[in-house]
Amino acid sequence: WARPMQYSIPTRKWELYRTIRSQTAPKRDFAPLIPGNANTYNYTDERSYLEMYGSSLYCITKKKGGWDCLRHYEILLAGCVPYFLDLGSLPAHTMVLFPRHIVASLMQLPGVPPQEVVLDTLDRGLEPIIE
């Protein structure tokens, strides 16, 4: 029978993430990078990309080419919560080690906007906020 596979962060990268988490305090509610919106991909090096996650409480992520991708784990290791659009549609046997139930709970904390509000805010070209 088949065993589940998924992405992971190489251990040689952990120190970089640890440094970023210890040196970067959250300054914004949602990270400005929006998957699928090329206008928000303006990072010239890995460190500034990871610092963007580390300086945010939440970062929007979603299924693109497939459910699993490195972005979800980069967000977590940078100390940010993935705001996973359509998380309820994630198949049970996909991303089996991803903390989907914890992420779902963190997305429902008081003041965190529901998915419909986040999508509407993004459609209007605005950045979601936590009330």
Side-chain angles (χ1 to χ4, degrees), residues 30 57-61 81-88 98-116 118 130:
F30 280 82
L57 295 172
Y58 288 85
C59 184
I60 294 170
T61 193
V81 176
Y83 193 99
F84 209 121
L85 299 177
D86 208 20
L87 183 60
F98 184 80
R100 69 176 80 203
H101 300 296
I102 295 171
V103 168
S105 295
L106 293 171
M107 289 171 55
Q108 295 175 11
L109 287 174
V112 177
Q115 180 172 299
E116 299 76 30
V118 168
I130 298 173

Side-chain angles (χ1 to χ4, degrees), residues 64-102:
K64 284 176 59 180
W67 280 102
D68 207 2
C69 75
L70 191 57
R71 179 179 62 255
H72 312 318
Y73 307 97
E74 291 171 332
I75 293 168
L76 286 168
L77 279 170
C80 188
V81 176
Y83 193 99
F84 209 121
L85 299 177
D86 208 20
L87 183 60
S89 297
L90 177 63
H93 298 293
T94 302
M95 296 173 55
V96 295
L97 300 177
F98 184 80
R100 69 176 80 203
H101 300 296
I102 295 171

Side-chain angles (χ1 to χ4, degrees), residues 13 16 20 33 41-53 74:
K13 295 276 190 177
L16 173 61
I20 288 170
L33 189 146
Y41 288 75
N42 39 3
Y43 303 94
T44 57
D45 59 73
E46 182 181 25
R47 185 172 185 92
S48 63
Y49 170 75
L50 297 174
E51 285 173 344
M52 172 270 307
Y53 287 147
E74 291 171 332

